[in-house]
Amino acid sequence: MTTSHDRVINFGAGPSALPVPVLEEAAKGLLNFSGTGIGIAEISHRSKEFTECINNLESLIRTQLGVPHTHSILFSQGGGSGQFSAVVMNMLARYRLLHPDVKPEKITMDYVVTGSWSKKAAEEARRLGGGQVNIAVNSREFSKDGKSFDNIPAHDAFKFSRDPALIYYCENETVDGVEFSHELSEPTSFPFHLLKQGSLAPLAADYSSSFMCRPIPRLADHAIIYAGAQKNIGPAGLTVIIVRQDCIVDVDAAAKLGAAPVPITFSYKTLEESKSLYNTPSVISIYMTALVLELMKEKGGLAYYEDLNRRKAGRIYGLLKDGEEKGVFKRKVKAGSESWMNVVFEVLGDDAEKRFLEGAEHLGMKGLKGHRSVGGRRPRFIVQRDHR
Amino acid sequence: MTTSHDRVINFGAGPSALPVPVLEEAAKGLLNFSGTGIGIAEISHRSKEFTECINNLESLIRTQLGVPHTHSILFSQGGGSGQFSAVVMNMLARYRLLHPDVKPEKITMDYVVTGSWSKKAAEEARRLGGGQVNIAVNSREFSKDGKSFDNIPAHDAFKFSRDPALIYYCENETVDGVEFSHELSEPTSFPFHLLKQGSLAPLAADYSSSFMCRPIPRLADHAIIYAGAQKNIGPAGLTVIIVRQDCIVDVDAAAKLGAAPVPITFSYKTLEESKSLYNTPSVISIYMTALVLELMKEKGGLAYYEDLNRRKAGRIYGLLKDGEEKGVFKRKVKAGSESWMNVVFEVLGDDAEKRFLEGAEHLGMKGLKGHRSVGGRRPRFIVQRDHR
């Protein structure tokens, strides 16, 4: 059997490193899950044992994140990109039911664009149509060079519509290393106070790359929070969707009023009513994610991880600052907008990046290369690293 | 470590049993995939090693099934239910591009309904709209009791439209135990000779529950063949889609002509252009499926499995026939329409089903209970059983 000694330090942004005890437990579960004599990849998603597993996952998320009972927790496949579409379709259906007579050209969807992923989400909303995409803010306009996603703009830059069907943001931008501050007094926090509908605002957040690394500010004021598991809490193949109940609507009734028909696996109502089992879920991804969250609970939950991740981020940004003063490194993101999760920087000097990567590889550190679209380095500091 | 001795005989219809050597290999891969020092659930879907794995999976399917180069092999998430929608959306987009001026009420989609799954697929087509659903045949009308899915109707019962956007059938109905004969001279085969467009017919087949248990008749004459991996060749979380290239269309151009916008992860063109990596795939499901297909190749490929599965089906249906003569069993499906994969029967007599299940459980046989919607027993004979 492979031992953990053979393993490298994996900085990959997603799929990302998982705790070795979880992998060891899952290796056993592959042959025999929960004493059933059937492996986890082979067991019916409607079996008693798997039902316990998925219920337990729901409860672990609800308890650790403090999800109120106004919100359902749904599980799906298809990752963040699938939700780019599902969020739009469900929220346009909701808007249609609330306002049957408003024409599509009068319906707005506000997108906060602070990086590659929120930009892609806005493009998908534009593709799908059914409403007008309003870019509430585009952080490139506030960047050092006028073209980079390197900052979270100040609150007064955000221009929300009067009555949007959807307000969308990405809490942490994996490619660009930009993240909203969780201190609501900070100028780089999300401007919750500008939301006109308050706790019923149609606010959707992509938390894929920072899910469960620390508590979510103003969680209850979100209509939708979603996250692909593979960045932080499990294998690819599972998407967690936290939805406020008023956003779980009858999409077929909305279609009769003129909203676009929603593919059945994208309907939050179908997911809710089937307890996320309308189509066969990726059972192995759900099982492994539950193992990770069990371990996180044992360690002390999000309070523990918030502290740990704050210290990790402090340390690496401290080193980068020192390196910058010495002319070795250059940080890509403006102070106050830096991600705890994805640290994007350049290594300065001829051939320096290549040597840096080779040196890292020599020390058993992999996955440090930046995203091809922005370059630079991108070590990722994930919540599970502590379990190694 | 759990050994294979602790394992039961799993007859579950899907997720289904997988070969123990695959599970043992995957258990190692969870900690260290292909000597990378990174586990398979943690490795980047864009890494060199995973690219090799997914390319290998494509090649294993292409070679063993004999998929011609007129057809692409795509990988997706979301299972059969996701494809209920994707098939309709992509084929309506194709029709729109071919016939820009035909109104939705004049567009037909022909559904062959022979069981619970094809019925569900037809319902999804009706939900999505954009064309009229024509039930080309409904096998219930030809059943013994006038209400059961217990047969494949004769060829003259099929009423196809003149120029449909889609012709849809489900090759094997998991719940009902009904399957098309693969002998094209048999009256219960699919009536390929009735397809007006010949090798360019818009013919889509759900092969989820019998994929790669034997060769696919007239594969090249299909527009789309899809299958969720979890019934036959791997864990849940992976859907294999074989698509003829003329059905990989620019869905955005079609939307401009009035077709419904297609969510980006459902667009075959997006899947094709991104080599099935537009969104992060379920890497572990792809990896394990490749391991299963490697093993199948070693065993002798589909010729071997066709022979094996023919013998298995012959044996069990022989026993059921004997049992029927003795008044012990009752077969649910008409002769000639029986599935090789899902054998649905009743155990006759007071309390007999309960005792049958208890006896089976005592012998370490699980997953024999029939689907709640049809009752009866449903042992499933899957291709991998041989590897135990």
Side-chain angles (χ1 to χ4, degrees), chain A residues 2 7-8 10 15-16 18 31 36-37 42-43 77-78 120 124 127-128 236 252 261-262 264 278-279 281 366, chain B residues 2 7-8 10 15-16 18 31-32 36-37 42-43 77-78 120 124 127-128 236 252 261-262 264 278-279 281 366:
Chain A
T2 305
R7 285 171 53 88
V8 301
N10 173 14
S16 310
L18 290 166
L31 279 133
T36 54
E42 311 164 288
I43 201 159
Q77 299 186 33
K120 223 166 169 176
E124 175 63 359
R127 273 190 73 248
L128 291 175
D252 292 336
V262 181
I264 192 84
Y278 182 81
N279 52 345
K366 282 194 182 177
Chain B
T2 305
R7 285 171 52 88
V8 300
N10 174 15
S16 309
L18 290 166
L31 279 132
N32 194 341
T36 54
E42 311 164 287
I43 202 159
Q77 300 186 32
K120 224 166 167 176
E124 176 63 359
R127 273 191 72 248
L128 291 175
D252 292 336
V262 181
I264 192 84
Y278 182 80
N279 53 344
K366 283 193 183 179

Side-chain angles (χ1 to χ4, degrees), chain A residues 25-321:
Chain A
E25 182 68 23
K28 290 183 213 154
L30 268 180
L31 279 133
N32 194 341
F33 165 62
S34 196
T36 54
I38 295 175
I40 181 62
E42 311 164 288
I43 201 159
S44 169
H45 54 301
R46 301 195 192 278
S47 64
K48 183 168 59 74
E49 294 83 2
F50 184 72
T51 304
E52 264 170 38
C53 174
I54 196 168
N55 288 347
N56 184 38
L57 175 59
E58 200 265 2
S59 152
L60 285 164
I61 294 172
R62 190 174 290 281
T63 309
Q64 289 182 58
L65 262 186
V67 179
H69 284 284
T70 46
H71 288 62
S72 296
I73 301 177
L74 310 176
F75 303 113
S76 178
Q77 299 186 33
S81 302
Q83 288 307 305
F84 288 174
S85 321
V87 163
V88 169
M89 295 182 124
N90 282 278
M91 291 305 276
L92 283 179
R94 172 178 180 263
Y95 193 87
R96 177 56 55 202
L97 291 168
L98 292 172
H99 308 283
D101 301 322
V102 178
K103 296 206 172 81
E105 56 269 28
K106 295 287 182 195
I107 301 174
T108 57
M109 294 182 278
D110 288 348
Y111 276 78
V112 172
V113 177
T114 54
S116 311
W117 288 108
S118 46
K119 179 168 171 279
K120 223 166 169 176
E123 281 160 11
E124 175 63 359
R126 215 173 269 124
R127 273 190 73 248
L128 291 175
Q132 308 302 314
V133 171
N134 168 48
I135 302 299
V137 69
N138 182 343
S139 73
R140 279 181 163 162
E141 292 170 17
F142 303 92
S143 64
K144 297 181 218 168
D145 61 4
K147 63 179 183 187
S148 298
F149 290 126
D150 66 359
N151 73 100
I152 300 289
H155 290 171
D156 60 6
F158 289 70
K159 308 293 176 203
F160 293 117
S161 311
R162 207 177 50 81
D163 182 26
L166 169 65
I167 302 168
Y168 184 101
Y169 73 104
C170 177
E171 192 263 346
N172 179 72
E173 288 281 359
T174 319
V175 174
D176 311 283
V178 174
E179 187 175 28
F180 283 91
S181 170
H182 283 216
E183 298 297 331
L184 297 188
S185 56
E186 292 287 324
T188 53
S189 63
F190 189 85
F192 291 100
H193 61 284
L194 298 179
L195 302 178
K196 292 173 192 79
Q197 290 155 297
S199 65
L200 282 180
L203 183 65
D206 175 0
Y207 259 83
S208 288
S209 51
S210 57
F211 194 59
M212 298 199 74
C213 84
R214 50 175 160 167
I216 294 179
R218 303 280 289 264
L219 186 150
D221 291 346
H222 288 77
I224 301 166
I225 289 168
Y226 73 83
Q230 77 275 7
K231 302 272 188 191
N232 253 26
I233 52 165
L238 169 66
T239 314
V240 180
I241 318 166
I242 300 171
V243 192
R244 202 173 59 219
Q245 271 126 27
D246 65 292
C247 300
I248 300 175
V249 303
D250 184 341
V251 294
D252 292 336
K256 284 195 187 106
L257 296 171
V262 181
I264 192 84
T265 56
F266 278 15
S267 156
Y268 293 153
K269 194 170 158 65
T270 302
L271 288 178
E272 164 95 344
E273 287 176 353
S274 63
K275 295 182 182 293
S276 302
L277 297 180
Y278 182 81
N279 52 345
T280 314
S282 179
V283 286
I284 193 168
S285 304
I286 288 174
Y287 161 71
M288 288 180 67
T289 303
L291 291 179
V292 170
L293 295 201
E294 279 286 1
L295 209 150
M296 288 181 68
K297 181 179 150 190
E298 280 168 31
K299 286 269 180 181
L302 288 196
Y304 169 83
Y305 286 100
E306 179 167 34
D307 179 57
L308 174 73
N309 287 318
R310 176 178 285 117
R311 283 187 285 118
K312 280 190 200 169
R315 197 155 163 205
I316 184 83
Y317 282 112
L319 284 168
L320 287 176
K321 191 160 171 274

